[in-house]
Amino acid sequence: MKKEKIVGLLLLITLFAAPGCKKWLDVKPGTQVDPEQLFNNENGFMDAMYGAYTIMASKPVYGDQLTMSFLDVLAQRYNCQATPGHLFYQSSLYNYQDAIVKTKISQIWDTLYHSIANANNVLLHIDGRKDVFQPGNYELIKGEALGLRAFLHLDALRLFGSAYITNPGKPAIPYVTTVTGGVTPLTTVAGALDSVIKDLTTASALLSGYKNINPEYLDPENQLPNAWLNRRQNHFNYYAAEATLARAYLCKGDKPKALEHALNVINSGKFSFQTTPRINDFKDRTFIPEHIFALSKFDLAPQVAQYFQAIDVRNLGREYHLTNDYNPGGVIEQLYETGSGGVSDIRYALMWSVSGGLSFPNKYWQDAGSSRFRNLVPLIRLPEMYYIAAECADTETGLGYLNTVRERRGLAALPAIQDAAILQAEISKEYQKEFYAEGQLFYYYKRTNSPVIRFTDIPGSDRVYVLPLPDAELQQRQ
């Protein structure tokens, strides 16, 4: 089904299994819900927003393909090329015409635009129903809907459009702002970025009156009576809007604006770096104090066992494993530069585990004693804002931002750097170390039009960096 043609609000009838979240409407699976009925009270708008978040947490997008598996396979994070029968073997070769890979790409496209349809449905009705909201919730929900629409379009652009640095005027994706029928024309890379920035700027203004962030946002004992003000890191909050603006402006090459918005997050003091005791004591491997925006995914354990653990009754075998070499001279040692002090890096020492004789990133292992530390997928974390600031500031100041992250990860500060190109190379190394199983490295390679993707002989180019539009989408446009 073409998602931009959805007229009604098709809800995934499941429970959004997060403490403090209201349950879904009591209707049968697959039921088409009348928008006029859904949006006659505040709870209907909340349910619609939970619908958007739940779709985002599904496997075709951020609950799997755009974080821990497909997108990191494209960035050569795992050794899938070594196993021709591997589930992601053809993906690792950038064979986008392979039937299995085409299905993955089509599912990504459809699910992104399905979630956009949910956000657009909220925006279609919300201005006419201001009277149903308790104080503040109109601004919060409208801001989140606008922010999500921009966030999702930005990632669609980062997947299916050319990089701004290579061809800003090339048609890329439809920027869909309605729920009526008809095919939305493709927008250029530059035009889509402008629309993203416009929506995010409006969202930031709407959300700016609600900047409270609870660093222990998953603590059930630390919640407010207004449910929409709780777990703000699991909502598209004010700082998520500012962080996504930093991403968007950096994609556009507007470094002063990217720096401005990254610093709005950094200087807020609302987020802090992860510590070794939290990893050891609580198994907090997604680094909750750094979460700017994260999703709750209640069914995470089975797929984590499938991808990242070799001994489990649900495990499907080596053809599904997402692993890498962790031994003297192996890939992980090269990434973390263990020969020059990298052994002290907590991302090397604490974020990899051996299972069945294989080495896996353990970020999503569901072995924490408390449910507060399980079932989370981070989409934006604090270090990215420091990397953006490092790239956008002058070289001396930028090195300071980069060294802040290095020191918090247990590494020595880099000595003075005078050459911006050398600093950029160090930033690239940090992206490779930091975002395992989060999907961000592929976007970095693409944004910088890197001719080299580490650990593959296939050069970076539009053949690699631009996913083809699904066949069904192309047929709609003939």
Side-chain angles (χ1 to χ4, degrees):
M1 177 182 293
K2 187 172 180 58
K3 300 310 174 196
E4 65 191 67
K5 286 189 173 182
I6 292 176
V7 177
L9 181 64
L10 181 62
L11 294 177
L12 299 180
I13 308 304
T14 56
L15 292 180
F16 188 77
C21 294
K22 296 183 182 294
K23 69 178 183 179
W24 284 80
L25 297 179
D26 185 17
V27 294
K28 296 179 181 179
T31 298
Q32 194 82 7
V33 180
D34 180 359
E36 296 305 320
Q37 176 185 352
L38 178 69
F39 295 123
N40 64 8
N41 58 53
E42 182 182 64
N43 285 345
F45 284 93
M46 291 181 176
D47 285 327
M49 289 304 300
Y50 287 134
Y53 289 122
T54 301
I55 296 166
M56 289 175 67
S58 64
K59 292 186 70 172
V61 284
Y62 304 103
D64 187 338
Q65 304 285 7
L66 297 189
T67 51
M68 60 193 72
S69 64
F70 178 69
L71 208 53
D72 258 12
V73 169
L74 300 187
Q76 303 300 325
R77 307 294 260 167
Y78 313 113
N79 63 352
C80 305
Q81 286 192 34
T83 309
H86 197 282
L87 177 65
F88 291 101
Y89 176 72
Q90 295 295 339
S91 301
S92 72
L93 299 177
Y94 309 106
N95 183 2
Y96 296 145
Q97 297 307 312
D98 173 77
I100 294 176
V101 180
K102 289 179 74 171
T103 297
K104 292 181 187 299
I105 292 171
S106 180
Q107 290 172 343
I108 290 169
W109 176 274
D110 287 349
T111 310
L112 286 174
Y113 279 98
H114 188 180
S115 202
I116 288 168
N118 273 35
N120 279 335
N121 236 319
V122 169
L123 293 168
L124 176 66
H125 293 88
I126 195 167
D127 285 345
R129 299 310 312 269
K130 289 183 182 181
D131 58 307
V132 305
F133 293 97
Q134 58 184 301
N137 279 3
Y138 162 79
E139 290 82 4
L140 283 169
I141 292 175
K142 183 175 181 179
E144 288 184 33
L146 278 168
L148 284 186
R149 183 169 78 184
F151 180 90
L152 293 161
H153 277 108
L154 178 60
D155 278 359
L157 178 64
R158 295 200 291 177
L159 292 167
F160 295 94
S162 296
Y164 187 91
I165 194 174
T166 62
N167 197 343
K170 187 175 182 178
I173 62 167
Y175 200 93
V176 184
T177 60
T178 69
V179 291
T180 59
V183 177
T184 303
L186 295 180
T187 305
T188 64
V189 174
L193 273 174
D194 287 343
S195 294
V196 165
I197 289 168
K198 179 181 177 182
D199 273 351
L200 287 171
T201 301
T202 305
S204 179
L206 286 164
L207 296 166
S208 64
Y210 305 89
K211 297 181 181 179
N212 288 335
I213 291 291
N214 175 11
E216 297 296 336
Y217 72 98
L218 300 168
D219 185 352
E221 303 299 322
N222 190 9
Q223 304 295 308
L224 298 170
N226 180 353
W228 212 253
L229 292 174
N230 292 322
R231 300 173 62 96
R232 291 303 299 164
Q233 287 95 314
N234 282 162
H235 295 246
F236 196 85
N237 58 76
Y238 168 76
Y239 296 102
E242 288 296 301
T244 310
L245 276 166
R247 280 182 177 176
Y249 276 117
L250 189 58
C251 285
K252 194 175 180 179
D254 188 338
K255 290 187 175 182
K257 294 296 289 185
L259 178 61
E260 173 190 335
H261 291 283
L263 291 180
N264 283 346
V265 179
I266 291 170
N267 294 335
S268 71
K270 300 292 185 179
F271 308 94
S272 60
F273 284 97
Q274 176 67 303
T275 64
T276 297
R278 280 185 65 94
I279 301 173
N280 289 332
D281 297 344
F282 303 122
K283 302 295 192 296
D284 175 15
R285 296 190 177 113
T286 66
F287 295 14
I288 290 171
E290 300 178 3
H291 288 186
I292 299 170
F293 180 37
L295 293 175
S296 176
K297 181 176 173 59
F298 70 94
D299 58 348
L300 194 55
Q303 75 189 58
V304 170
Q306 170 183 304
Y307 289 151
F308 300 119
Q309 292 176 306
I311 302 175
D312 191 283
V313 294
R314 297 163 293 191
N315 194 273
L316 298 178
R318 187 176 295 269
E319 290 76 17
Y320 287 77
H321 291 157
L322 296 177
T323 183
N324 226 320
D325 298 325
Y326 193 113
N327 51 58
V331 169
I332 305 308
E333 279 71 16
Q334 294 177 57
L335 281 175
Y336 292 101
E337 302 177 291
T338 58
S340 55
V343 291
S344 60
D345 191 329
I346 63 173
R347 297 166 297 189
Y348 169 81
L350 301 178
M351 298 303 294
W352 287 80
S353 294
V354 175
S355 176
L358 300 173
S359 299
F360 295 93
N362 61 27
K363 179 170 292 181
Y364 296 110
W365 281 22
Q366 301 297 292
D367 56 346
S370 170
S371 61
R372 292 161 54 191
F373 304 101
R374 300 196 295 265
N375 301 315
L376 293 168
V377 180
L379 302 189
I380 313 175
R381 288 191 296 109
L382 181 62
E384 184 182 354
M385 297 300 103
Y386 279 85
Y387 297 152
I388 291 175
E391 188 171 342
C392 295
D394 64 83
T395 304
E396 181 180 358
T397 306
L399 178 61
Y401 290 123
L402 186 65
N403 276 335
T404 295
V405 183
R406 286 178 56 89
E407 290 171 342
R408 296 304 182 93
R409 295 302 188 234
L411 296 172
L414 294 169
I417 293 175
Q418 305 300 324
D419 189 330
I422 295 175
L423 176 60
Q424 189 68 48
E426 294 296 336
I427 293 170
S428 177
K429 291 179 184 178
E430 288 302 310
Y431 269 89
Q432 294 173 56
K433 297 172 186 176
E434 184 65 42
F435 296 113
Y436 243 100
E438 293 183 40
Q440 294 305 314
L441 181 59
F442 179 78
Y443 294 137
Y444 174 84
Y445 283 139
K446 178 174 181 173
R447 174 177 60 80
T448 58
N449 195 32
S450 175
V452 176
I453 296 176
R454 198 170 181 184
F455 305 118
T456 181
D457 294 331
I458 300 171
S461 67
D462 273 5
R463 172 191 172 274
V464 166
Y465 291 137
V466 180
L467 303 189
L469 298 187
D471 291 343
E473 181 69 20
L474 293 172
Q475 291 168 9
Q476 292 276 355
R477 298 183 177 279
Q478 290 179 350

